Amino acid sequence: MSSSDKAHEEQKFEVWKLEISDKGKGFMELLKYLTSCRKVGHIDDVVVDPSARGKQLGKKIVDFLTKHARSKGCYKVILDCSVDNKSFYEKCGYKHKDIQMSKYFVYNNFFLSS
């Protein structure tokens, strides 16, 4: 493979991460994947401290991440959630689509998913 082919291959995939954490209120994370086709945003974690719930913080976080992904040129945003959180994300404008598959590995007492 020539060096120009390698450079072209490296440009096909990029991961961009936005993370904001305030231990008093919550945590959010957005990953952006850039493939040779199009950009996809992936909301990975949205956590609101139980003492700060009921103030629409979760919805504001998801709205912010969604708008931010759109402003960065993502054509869609995807996320995984539990059945218990499905109605929350539906209120944020997300729809059930397909299924998610995962495989977890234990590493130093932490789970790593693949």
Side-chain angles (χ1 to χ4, degrees):
M1 184 181 282
S2 73
S3 61
S4 65
D5 289 339
K6 286 181 185 177
H8 183 67
E9 280 296 314
E10 290 172 9
Q11 292 176 3
K12 285 186 177 181
F13 185 77
E14 166 193 333
V15 177
W16 173 82
K17 181 176 177 179
L18 168 69
E19 179 181 309
I20 299 173
S21 180
D22 177 348
K23 293 190 181 200
K25 295 189 178 105
F27 174 85
M28 65 181 185
E29 181 175 68
L30 172 74
L31 303 175
K32 181 190 80 173
Y33 298 95
L34 174 61
T35 65
S36 59
C37 299
R38 300 185 274 181
K39 295 178 186 178
V40 176
H42 180 185
I43 296 177
D44 195 41
D45 293 301
V46 175
V47 179
V48 175
D49 186 272
S51 66
R53 292 184 183 159
K55 300 175 183 172
Q56 302 290 312
L57 292 176
K59 184 170 184 340
K60 289 176 184 175
I61 289 169
V62 172
D63 288 346
F64 170 80
L65 293 173
T66 303
K67 289 175 185 171
H68 188 72
R70 186 177 208 168
S71 76
K72 293 294 183 183
C74 295
Y75 85 100
K76 72 177 180 178
V77 177
I78 59 174
L79 60 86
D80 301 316
C81 70
S82 67
V83 173
D84 293 341
N85 291 330
K86 183 179 178 217
S87 65
F88 165 75
Y89 288 106
E90 288 173 338
K91 290 176 189 173
C92 294
Y94 285 78
K95 296 181 171 118
H96 184 127
K97 174 99 169 99
D98 299 325
I99 62 169
Q100 177 222 21
M101 305 290 288
S102 62
K103 185 172 187 174
Y104 290 89
F105 302 100
V106 177
Y107 177 75
N108 290 341
N109 295 324
F110 292 101
F111 286 101
L112 299 176
S113 64
S114 66

